[in-house]
Amino acid sequence: MTGIKIGKKIRLLRKNNDVTQDKLAAYLGVTPQAVSRWESEICYPDIETLPQIADFFGVGMDELLCYDSIQKESKIREYLKQSEMLYENEKLGECLALLREAYAEIPSSFEIQLELAKILSAINAEGNPRKNDLMEAISLCNHILDYCTDDELRDETKKTMCDIYSHQLGNTEMALDIAEKLHSMSYSKELVKATVLTGDVAFDQAQKNIMDFADNMWWHMYNIACVPDISEDKYTVDQKIEIMQRGVAILEVVFDGDYVYFNDRLANSYRQLAMLYLAKGDRESALLCIERMAKHAIEFDSLPENSRYSSVLVNRIEYNRETLEGAETLTLCAKLLRGRFANRIWAPIRNNERFIAAIDSMVKTLEA
């Protein structure tokens, strides 16, 4: 029976049916300690006990023995892939309908439950507030936290709940309470692997951490400079420009000109910088930023499926488009061009030949 995760299955069935180890043990005529050892996968139930366990929970032997898990996981992956494609193309209604179908078919999937909660929240964020949807999203998240044992999925669920309470329901106190229950940065697996272990594992993790830290620094700088409900009026336009330039400088130090995936971050940085320069009337700097935005967007969309970073700080790390980008169907050029230059803030440079040339170069990349 090696490889069969029957212990986890028994635990999940028991939790979902609100059954104690004592109650299950009494039915099977074994000790509660035996049930505990099964669930901890120290040992497995005797083969003659398996039909009794299946009967107790009203499931078939295939389900109990996880024989259908491969097909089930494949179905879950397909649903999530379709969901992401619909979301990327801003078809939130269709995405919601798909995830409801997925949840009805595979109600035990915590990943589908979390994705459904996220879409319920996203629909409300699009200016269509429906409190019932948000309550349903929170209910799904609470169910995951009650029964799921996957730490990463639990943390992602808590993050989603923080977002709902903070941005959708305006309950900062509840959001902060949930955030406090997340793991401390000092005890994350990434830091422990890089600082406690040795050899190739620690070295590779240290390089990955440098990349992740650079990305996190960039995001935090972007947020405090450019996200209205975070930055508010805490900085002047000149200070916001300085912050964004420092974010670009961090990426330049780490990647040494070979940005690969991080061309995405740079394209978005220069787009935001162009808007900031226009806000202070500096058209020349804004045009330069638009040209740089187009350059990095085109470089990002032109990446091969796999490539390795060349900078000495991260030269053990490979980029894989499918792994990092998932099921995204829109290129970066398409995302940047999609309605984002219709805003009147671009009016001072929209007819400038340099602006037109930069936008045309992105369009041609899409058409290639």
Side-chain angles (χ1 to χ4, degrees):
M1 295 177 67
T2 302
I4 297 176
K5 302 296 184 180
I6 190 171
K8 289 185 177 179
K9 186 67 176 181
I10 291 172
R11 184 174 186 274
L12 180 62
L13 288 168
R14 188 173 59 76
K15 290 282 189 181
N16 287 348
N17 288 277
D18 197 24
V19 172
T20 64
Q21 289 183 341
D22 288 351
K23 184 176 179 179
L24 177 59
Y27 175 83
L28 298 173
V30 298
T31 65
Q33 289 77 14
V35 175
S36 177
R37 287 196 294 273
W38 299 341
E39 294 184 0
S40 301
E41 297 183 349
I42 296 172
C43 61
Y44 295 105
D46 294 334
I47 194 163
E48 60 267 20
T49 308
L50 296 177
Q52 291 178 271
I53 297 173
D55 287 343
F56 181 81
F57 290 114
V59 299
M61 287 291 289
D62 281 354
E63 181 177 351
L64 179 63
L65 296 175
C66 306
Y67 287 147
D68 63 341
S69 61
I70 295 177
Q71 295 89 333
K72 178 180 170 183
E73 283 301 314
S74 176
K75 188 68 174 177
I76 291 171
R77 297 276 79 77
E78 182 59 29
Y79 268 126
L80 294 176
K81 181 178 180 180
Q82 292 180 37
S83 168
E84 189 169 353
M85 290 175 66
L86 291 170
Y87 181 81
E88 282 294 321
N89 287 280
E90 299 183 333
K91 298 179 180 179
L92 296 186
E94 292 180 38
C95 185
L96 178 60
L98 175 73
L99 288 170
R100 289 202 182 281
E101 175 188 328
Y103 185 36
E105 181 178 345
I106 316 173
S108 61
S109 170
F110 295 123
E111 291 172 286
I112 287 176
Q113 291 173 34
L114 179 56
E115 200 64 24
L116 177 55
K118 289 179 178 179
I119 293 301
L120 286 166
S121 173
I123 286 176
N124 279 267
E126 291 290 319
N128 185 23
R130 293 182 292 189
K131 193 168 184 179
N132 287 344
D133 286 345
L134 295 177
M135 292 301 102
E136 182 183 357
I138 289 173
S139 177
L140 287 165
C141 289
N142 280 324
H143 183 268
I144 295 169
L145 295 179
D146 285 341
Y147 297 108
C148 180
T149 58
D150 184 310
D151 285 339
E152 287 190 21
L153 195 61
R154 288 174 60 84
D155 283 347
E156 189 175 352
T157 300
K158 291 174 185 176
K159 180 181 176 183
T160 299
M161 292 183 76
C162 283
D163 180 70
I164 293 172
Y165 276 114
S166 178
H167 296 101
Q168 307 291 331
L169 297 174
N171 191 337
T172 303
E173 184 177 352
M174 180 63 76
L176 184 58
D177 182 63
I178 295 169
E180 289 289 349
K181 295 174 183 175
L182 288 162
H183 296 297
S184 167
M185 185 185 299
S186 301
Y187 299 100
S188 68
K189 65 181 182 182
E190 290 84 4
L191 280 179
V192 170
K193 286 166 68 176
T195 57
V196 177
L197 301 183
T198 58
D200 284 348
V201 172
F203 185 88
D204 291 347
Q205 187 63 57
Q207 283 208 350
K208 187 175 186 306
N209 287 354
I210 289 172
M211 175 180 286
D212 290 343
F213 292 158
D215 197 24
N216 275 307
M217 286 289 288
W218 179 88
W219 270 113
H220 285 304
M221 290 180 175
Y222 184 93
N223 284 343
I224 64 173
C226 304
V227 178
D229 59 355
I230 295 177
S231 62
E232 295 179 339
D233 296 323
K234 296 181 176 69
Y235 293 113
T236 65
V237 172
D238 283 335
Q239 287 174 324
K240 290 178 180 181
I241 289 172
E242 180 183 351
I243 291 167
M244 290 303 300
Q245 288 174 335
R246 292 191 183 193
V248 168
I250 286 173
L251 299 183
E252 289 174 345
V253 167
V254 172
F255 298 103
D256 195 26
D258 182 24
Y259 300 106
V260 189
Y261 172 80
F262 287 82
N263 280 295
D264 171 281
R265 304 294 188 250
L266 288 167
N268 281 288
S269 293
Y270 284 118
R271 176 182 174 275
Q272 199 65 41
L273 278 165
M275 295 175 67
L276 290 169
Y277 279 121
L278 285 175
K280 61 177 293 185
D282 186 345
R283 298 185 185 184
E284 179 61 30
S285 295
L287 286 167
L288 179 61
C289 287
I290 286 295
E291 290 170 336
R292 289 176 175 173
M293 175 203 73
K295 171 181 174 291
H296 287 290
I298 292 169
E299 287 184 10
F300 180 85
D301 288 343
S302 302
L303 286 172
E305 290 298 313
N306 298 281
S307 55
R308 185 185 291 271
Y309 292 87
S310 63
S311 169
V312 66
L313 291 174
V314 290
N315 59 7
R316 294 275 287 257
I317 299 178
E318 292 186 353
Y319 163 78
N320 179 281
R321 180 180 293 275
E322 183 178 357
T323 301
L324 290 180
E325 296 306 300
E328 289 190 6
T329 57
L330 294 178
T331 66
L332 181 55
C333 285
K335 290 179 185 178
L336 290 169
L337 291 170
R338 188 174 56 187
R340 295 189 177 185
F341 294 99
N343 192 295
R344 63 182 179 182
I345 194 173
W346 303 106
I349 60 172
R350 189 178 289 125
N351 296 321
N352 184 284
E353 60 182 18
R354 291 170 61 189
F355 180 88
I356 294 171
I359 299 302
D360 284 349
S361 67
M362 296 168 69
V363 172
K364 289 177 182 177
T365 300
L366 289 175
E367 295 173 346

